[in-house]
Amino acid sequence: MPMILEHIDAIAREKNRDVLFLLFHPTDSESYICYEHKDDVVRTEILENLKALEIPHKPCLDFYHPDSFNRFVGQIYLDVPYDENLPLYQKLQQYLEYPDGTMRFPTVRFLILPLEKALVNKDYDNDDDDDDDDDDDDDFY
């Protein structure tokens, strides 16, 4: 069954808070054009570790831009509030970053989208969407 992906800004508005996500990017532009998330061994490793660490996550799309098309390139929403005092956030941060804040994985970006920025697109929300959170996303990865 096809899966409907949400844009990260729509997720922020739904959660009514800042949201965290991962963006996977090859190091050179030629690789980016041919990038396939299912072939990315770093992404696969991270997904396995997110499950092992019991960090809730799901695939998502980039920030919605009405005048452009966003293709899915493996982005992952992390269902963990941005709170440096929260043990689950600390576990996530320690896994993804070195103590100095640099990434452990050079082809991965650990990003936060502030709710304030996400609200820019609130007029694009559709309250009639039939959202089914019970879908098993494992086949999509």
Side-chain angles (χ1 to χ4, degrees):
M1 179 169 152
M3 192 171 144
I4 298 174
L5 298 178
E6 292 181 273
H7 290 271
I8 192 65
D9 53 303
I11 295 171
R13 291 189 301 276
E14 177 185 313
K15 296 285 183 177
N16 198 35
R17 63 172 164 82
D18 300 348
V19 291
L20 303 170
F21 66 108
L22 299 178
L23 181 62
F24 299 85
H25 61 94
T27 53
D28 61 84
S29 59
E30 184 175 321
S31 296
Y32 183 80
I33 293 169
C34 302
Y35 178 77
E36 291 291 334
H37 67 277
K38 290 188 176 194
D39 298 332
D40 187 336
V41 294
V42 171
R43 184 178 179 278
T44 300
E45 177 187 337
I46 287 173
L47 288 171
E48 290 170 358
N49 282 299
L50 290 174
K51 283 184 183 182
L53 294 168
E54 299 181 340
I55 295 173
H57 61 281
K58 68 179 183 178
C60 68
L61 293 171
D62 281 339
F63 191 86
Y64 177 72
H65 295 281
D67 297 328
S68 66
F69 173 76
N70 294 100
R71 79 178 180 110
F72 178 69
V73 288
Q75 305 93 315
I76 300 295
Y77 160 66
L78 303 162
D79 194 3
V80 177
Y82 176 62
D83 179 347
E84 293 181 351
N85 296 314
L86 186 69
L88 188 60
Y89 176 81
Q90 293 170 355
K91 183 172 28 171
L92 175 65
Q93 185 180 33
Q94 289 168 3
Y95 171 66
L96 294 171
E97 297 179 343
Y98 291 112
D100 68 358
T102 59
M103 290 298 293
R104 294 184 187 274
F105 308 94
T107 60
V108 179
R109 291 186 186 142
F110 181 31
L111 303 169
I112 182 169
L113 176 64
L115 176 60
E116 179 181 301
K117 174 91 171 150
L119 290 173
V120 169
N121 284 337
K122 68 182 177 187
D123 293 338
Y124 295 104
D125 289 344
N126 182 353
D127 293 336
D128 296 330
D129 286 345
D130 189 17
D131 191 20
D132 184 4
D133 289 337
D134 296 330
D135 289 344
D136 186 359
D137 296 340
D138 289 341
D139 292 337
F140 190 77
Y141 291 110

